[in-house]
Amino acid sequence: MIDHQFHAEQLRSAYAGPTIAPLRDSDPRASVDDAYEIQALNRDHWLREGRRIVGAKIGLTSKAVQKQLGVDQPDFGILFNDMAIDDGGSIPAGKLLQPRVEAEIAFCLGRDIDMVGDDPAELADAISYALPALEIADSRVADWNITFVDTIADNASSGLFVLGTERLKLADIDLVGCAMRMEKNGVLVSEGSGAACLGNPLNALAWLASIRIHQGNPLKAGGIILSGALGPMVAAVPGDSFTAHIEGLGGVSLHFAD
């Protein structure tokens, strides 16, 4: 029997450092269902502590990263209100343990999604608007030495996120062909396109909506969804500045304080 509560407490304590060993080291029997149960225990703990859920993030939307971890599906984590950083804002030194930055398309849902059909494009009418985003991933597991169950249990390796200020209708965006370029300290470090996110960010949203319906917790109107990386994630250290531009959506930036 997996001690879900023990692992949840271990992960919570690691937010303040130091990082911990992978879940698989202490309990190699842990399954994907176990990992989501651990994530849910921490979600409920934080809700009791006063945090507020504002959406969800989809991880592992890159086929290359899935192959690296030996899986054939994405994962998801919870976005809380205190994870949001203003566009152009600064992240205090020591706020995160081992941050990595990636550029994404974010969706704001205009209605609940309680059913998903065969065509992910049908979800377009559930989206009020899209906007550029930076996700600052983080891991409480030492040296990012993670497997699928490790990242799920650790809230899909969530850290913080930044949303751009331009809100665009999907009809005005090429979700598949839009090019993304991300610079670190003025140097290009990551590039890609909407196609890198499961072929289309709407495919990622359809996957998440289906999983959440299956879990009895469908996506709700007003929620922000980080749909997945459009290019490789990049490690960050104090003093770094990141700017990403996504074709048709505009730019978004952040700074890591010294």
Side-chain angles (χ1 to χ4, degrees), residues 169-173:
K169 298 294 185 182
L170 291 199
D172 299 326
I173 309 164

Side-chain angles (χ1 to χ4, degrees), residues 232-247:
M233 64 168 53
V234 179
V237 298
D240 284 342
S241 293
F242 287 82
T243 299
H245 184 273
I246 302 175
E247 185 179 14

